Amino acid sequence: MSATELSLSLRQAQRCHLDGDWAEAERRYRACLRDWPDCALAQALLAFLLLQTQRPEEAETWLQAAIAAEAGHADWHFNLGMALARQGRAGRARQAFAAAVALDAGQLMYWTNLAASSEQDGDLAAAEHCCRQALALDAGCADAHFLLAGLCLRQERHAEARRHNAAGIVAQPAAHGPIARIEAYCELGQHDAALALLHGWLAQAPDDAVALHLLAACGGAPPPSQCSPAFIQQTFDANAATFDASLAGLRYQGPQWLAQCLRRLALPASALEVLDLGCGTGLAGAALRPYAQRLHGVDLSGEMLARAADKGVYDTLTQGDIIEFLMAAPPPCDLICCLDTLSYFGDLRLALGRMARALKPGGLLLFSIERGLQPLPDGHRLQPCGRYLHDPDWVEACLADYGLRLEERRDMMLREEAGCPVPGAFYCAERMC
């Protein structure tokens, strides 16, 4: 094969490659290399196809040969980095990506992949530098923002992590649902964009309970005193199938604290009348069951209750609003559990008062809140996510107002959101005689 024939054969192979006929393209590339085994371009083109077809080891071999012959192609170094990264060889991949950047510093992908390999290689400072170089080229580079969010998390720079995660979502809106985008806009202070998205949502579904509640949460309507039952039911019915797995991924701490608290209390086994308010799929039920003579769960979401029933730990389950349930004067309880539920109430006084009345003298109330880190003048504040923050000192004052003596308060992470800890407070209070 002459040089002219080689050039023609390579163009034909590339045409097959671009047309998606990868098997024919590979056959033609290999035919060229049989006649011209030292053709660096054929080696590099074949290696790129091998990368696309998940054969990084062979791709590495061909790319090493091509680069040894012609070292001035940034994209060949980049492809070598990709081949090495897919084999888990972060240090070598980092060297290859660095070579690509040295030859062409204007490519976003070169910087973001160098950032990722630097992080995997343990050099967080270099990884952050690379991300910021990528953002200097394009401030809307979603990959750079998400990488920076992860780097900030590893260094416990949580506020920065939240901002970069939000910026990544805003930069890549098609990959995220409206709720995630609304929260991201609010995190970045782009409230007009959040409200515009909500108004568009409501134009299509004027009565949507989630959109109406989030409109208030984002400042587009007066905040309600609590989440509407329709919002809660719609939200949790939609997420019931994946709820347990999602909370596990978010490192939800409620059941662990509950089990530890119950052990510290040294309560009698199988002796108590226990009420689990906002029981959801029954995650608290396993911890409560050993102490319960009778365990009753209440929740608004029928889909969540169906999964609680499947766990087989509750004696009875009721679908309904917890305040309405308590106002119907259920039998007095020895223990009420209300985990990750009061975040859907603003002013907690009605809920706490009704719970106190439902307890026997000496009965215990165990519950959690999302904890505000600054004093809240009204004791609570509606967040853009639709849940309420509460001032823990205000909550303690409310307990005293209703004859509940605080036995324990633990300020600790409630769960994670976008990898960042959500501050929580867990309470154990006893009803005074």
Side-chain angles (χ1 to χ4, degrees), residues 4 24 67 78 113 139 147 170 172-173 181 205 222 231 254 289 303 333 339 351 374 380 404 409 416 419 426 429 431:
T4 301
E24 179 60 17
I67 291 168
F78 174 76
N113 280 277
L147 282 166
V170 167
Q172 204 175 55
R181 289 156 59 196
F231 166 76
R289 182 71 260 178
E303 293 295 328
C333 297
L339 291 184
Q374 302 295 330
H380 58 86
L404 293 163
R409 169 181 148 189
E416 292 180 339
F426 292 85
R431 182 184 170 185

Side-chain angles (χ1 to χ4, degrees), residues 276-332:
D276 187 3
L277 295 175
C279 65
T281 60
L283 289 174
L288 294 168
R289 182 71 260 178
Y291 305 94
Q293 182 181 52
R294 184 173 180 272
L295 177 57
H296 188 86
V298 183
D299 201 276
L300 267 169
S301 169
E303 293 295 328
M304 299 284 275
L305 286 174
R307 284 156 180 82
D310 290 342
K311 289 184 170 66
V313 297
Y314 293 89
D315 296 294
T316 55
L317 291 164
T318 298
Q319 183 176 2
D321 178 84
I322 65 171
I323 300 298
E324 292 179 1
F325 178 85
L326 292 170
M327 290 177 70

Side-chain angles (χ1 to χ4, degrees), residues 76-403:
W76 296 5
H77 289 280
F78 174 76
N79 289 339
L80 176 60
M82 294 298 293
L84 292 162
R86 290 180 189 177
Q87 297 175 66
R89 295 157 66 189
R92 292 286 307 284
R94 180 183 179 186
Q95 293 172 7
F97 291 134
V101 162
L103 289 166
D104 185 355
Q107 297 296 324
L108 282 174
M109 286 193 305
Y110 296 0
W111 284 112
T112 54
N113 280 277
L114 179 55
S117 60
S118 297
E119 180 184 14
Q120 292 165 11
D121 203 28
D123 193 341
L124 303 190
E128 182 168 345
H129 169 76
C130 293
C131 288
R132 298 201 183 280
Q133 290 295 115
L135 291 174
L137 292 171
D138 179 2
C141 177
D143 287 345
H145 280 300
F146 287 132
L147 282 166
L148 264 175
L151 288 166
C152 290
L153 275 177
R154 290 184 63 175
Q155 299 168 73
E156 298 188 355
R157 293 154 55 189
H158 296 128
E160 290 178 78
R162 286 191 295 271
R163 286 197 297 274
H164 282 296
N165 184 71
I169 291 171
V170 167
Q172 204 175 55
H176 303 278
I179 296 175
R181 289 156 59 196
I182 288 163
E183 290 188 48
Y185 284 132
C186 290
E187 176 66 35
L188 297 172
Q190 300 175 21
H191 295 281
D192 288 346
L195 291 174
L197 197 161
L198 280 161
H199 286 305
W201 183 350
L202 287 165
Q204 300 296 318
D207 299 322
D208 190 284
V210 173
L212 288 168
H213 181 69
L214 292 178
L215 183 67
C218 293
S225 61
Q226 66 179 67
C227 299
S228 70
F231 166 76
I232 295 171
Q233 188 168 2
Q234 183 177 329
T235 299
F236 285 96
D237 279 351
N239 292 287
T242 58
F243 187 76
D244 288 9
S246 296
L247 280 188
L250 298 176
R251 297 178 60 203
Y252 174 51
Q253 299 298 302
Q256 292 89 333
W257 172 82
L258 178 63
Q260 293 165 8
C261 183
L262 291 169
R263 285 195 294 270
R264 286 192 293 271
L265 291 166
L267 299 172
S270 304
L272 307 179
E273 189 76 19
V274 181
L275 181 58
D276 187 3
L277 295 175
C279 65
T281 60
L283 289 174
L288 294 168
R289 182 71 260 178
Y291 305 94
Q293 182 181 52
R294 184 173 180 272
L295 177 57
H296 188 86
V298 183
D299 201 276
L300 267 169
S301 169
E303 293 295 328
M304 299 284 275
L305 286 174
R307 284 156 180 82
D310 290 342
K311 289 184 170 66
V313 297
Y314 293 89
D315 296 294
T316 55
L317 291 164
T318 298
Q319 183 176 2
D321 178 84
I322 65 171
I323 300 298
E324 292 179 1
F325 178 85
L326 292 170
M327 290 177 70
C333 297
D334 299 293
L335 173 64
I336 294 177
C337 175
C338 190
L339 291 184
D340 208 22
T341 298
L342 294 180
S343 297
Y344 297 91
F345 292 80
D347 189 334
L348 298 183
R349 287 175 289 192
L350 176 60
L352 291 174
R354 288 289 171 181
M355 289 184 221
R357 291 174 64 178
L359 283 169
K360 299 175 183 177
L364 296 171
L365 171 60
L366 279 63
F367 67 97
S368 66
I369 59 165
E370 290 189 27
R371 176 169 56 94
L373 299 180
Q374 302 295 330
L376 302 173
D378 297 321
H380 58 86
R381 186 182 75 231
L382 182 58
Q383 305 174 86
C385 63
R387 297 185 302 274
Y388 292 85
L389 282 177
H390 289 96
D391 184 327
D393 294 331
W394 179 86
V395 172
E396 286 192 25
C398 289
L399 293 176
D401 289 343
Y402 293 106

